[in-house]
Amino acid sequence: MKTTLIASLLSTAAAFAPQPASRASTAVSETKADLEVIAAKANPIIKFYDPLNLSGAEFWGTSNEATIGFLREAEIKHGRVAMFAFVGYIVHANGITFPWAMQMDGTPFPKVSNAPEAWDQISDSAKLQIFAFIGFLEYWREANSGQHYMSGGKPGYFPPFDAKIIPGGALNLYDPFGLNKNMSEETKEKRLIAEINNGRAAMLGIFGFISAGKVEGSVPALSGIIPHYDGDPMAPMSESILPHFGTLN
Ligand SMILES: *[C@@H]1O[C@H](CO)[C@@H](O)[C@H](O)[C@H]1NC(C)=O
Ligand SMILES: *[C@@H]1O[C@H](CO)[C@@H](O)[C@H](O)[C@H]1NC(C)=O
């Protein structure tokens, strides 16, 4: 049951994705050859490594280029989320919270020394708000992409919020300080490669933290640093929302 619920949460997110829009003539879709070039720049030692042959796949009956666009977007997005998670874990592990109350009723932010426990202590309504916000970001990215990343659009692009959404001004999460505008293509490309690498490192890092907390000694470098976590990191709703579906379990 848990697995089914988590799977349905994930598929809600995925439902926005496969829209094989007709390809505009200006589209520059990426191919396996492009991936090989990126891979060599991102990691000159390992270079191109694709044991599952995902770069040859055609998801949901779309083209291979569309699939590569989807996977590039997914990697960049997961990398960004992992960078947030990595920093967030360290912040929580050190007991750092915002100085105000977490909820309107005055409930403070959980003070824990074990980061995943902070999540378990958050109320269901707060968790649902977090999911709703993530859902909104997903929707905004999918609905305002211009050229979608599965039809030659830029993977990792995030459309700015205009004055319709944020009264009085625009907010561009993708380029908040307008630094990209005058950047040379060369510099931009270097930074994109750096972002992929930082994201990959962060994905390994956060899973290192989680593994070390769950299975003692599984990450020797973190032994004695990461406290043990009793919950189930792979069932993030098991402490709160899922028990309400107890009879279905
Ligand atoms: C990868 O998939 C493509 C497309 O299905 C296929 O043509 C190719 O032979 C596969 N490569 C390997 C190494 O399996
Ligand atoms: C970018 O360059 C243009 C023209 O050279 C200049 O007018 C503008 O102020 C620059 N923008 C930024 C953010 O540096």
Side-chain angles (χ1 to χ4, degrees):
M1 191 59 218
K2 281 177 193 169
T3 323
T4 320
L5 277 174
I6 300 295
S8 67
L9 279 177
L10 291 177
S11 61
T12 317
F16 288 113
Q19 283 298 335
S22 63
R23 218 159 118 192
S25 54
T26 51
V28 199
S29 289
E30 281 167 296
T31 60
K32 188 172 173 183
D34 297 314
L35 293 183
E36 284 168 1
V37 172
I38 295 172
K41 283 183 186 156
N43 192 325
I45 296 170
I46 298 178
K47 295 202 176 79
F48 187 70
Y49 179 67
D50 180 20
L52 299 178
N53 197 16
L54 285 175
S55 61
E58 294 176 352
F59 288 176
W60 310 291
T62 61
S63 68
N64 177 239
E65 285 90 348
T67 305
I68 288 176
F70 177 85
L71 291 170
R72 289 264 285 124
E73 168 86 6
E75 176 175 43
I76 294 172
K77 197 190 287 183
H78 281 86
R80 286 176 184 160
V81 170
M83 289 189 266
F84 278 117
F86 186 80
V87 175
Y89 189 106
I90 294 172
V91 166
H92 282 294
N94 286 285
I96 300 166
T97 61
F98 289 116
W100 50 79
M102 178 175 71
Q103 288 183 193
M104 303 293 264
D105 66 7
T107 310
F109 286 99
K111 282 264 183 206
V112 294
S113 57
N114 196 345
E117 273 170 17
W119 172 255
D120 292 340
Q121 288 179 25
I122 291 174
S123 68
D124 287 356
S125 52
K127 284 177 178 168
L128 290 174
Q129 279 174 44
I130 292 171
F131 281 123
F133 180 66
I134 294 170
F136 166 73
L137 292 180
E138 287 279 313
Y139 163 76
W140 190 253
R141 194 276 183 261
E142 295 293 328
N144 298 287
S145 298
Q147 187 128 33
H148 194 266
Y149 54 85
M150 286 181 78
S151 27
K154 214 189 292 172
Y157 172 71
F158 197 87
F161 298 111
D162 50 28
K164 269 183 299 190
I165 295 284
I166 304 201
L171 171 67
N172 189 341
L173 287 181
Y174 188 58
D175 183 17
F177 307 110
L179 296 177
N180 277 359
K181 273 192 206 118
N182 287 358
M183 215 180 263
S184 72
E185 284 307 312
E186 210 182 12
T187 315
K188 265 191 218 168
E189 199 199 299
K190 246 192 215 146
R191 293 170 65 107
L192 285 173
I193 299 282
E195 181 180 36
I196 293 175
N197 275 338
N198 291 342
R200 287 177 181 170
M203 288 190 269
L204 292 175
I206 188 64
F207 266 85
F209 286 169
I210 292 171
S211 308
K214 193 63 207 170
V215 182
E216 227 76 39
S218 59
V219 186
L222 293 173
S223 282
I225 298 173
I226 302 290
H228 182 74
Y229 173 58
D230 272 331
D232 184 349
M234 300 310 282
M237 307 311 278
S238 58
E239 299 298 315
S240 53
I241 292 173
L242 284 177
H244 301 278
F245 296 95
T247 49
L248 301 174
N249 241 325

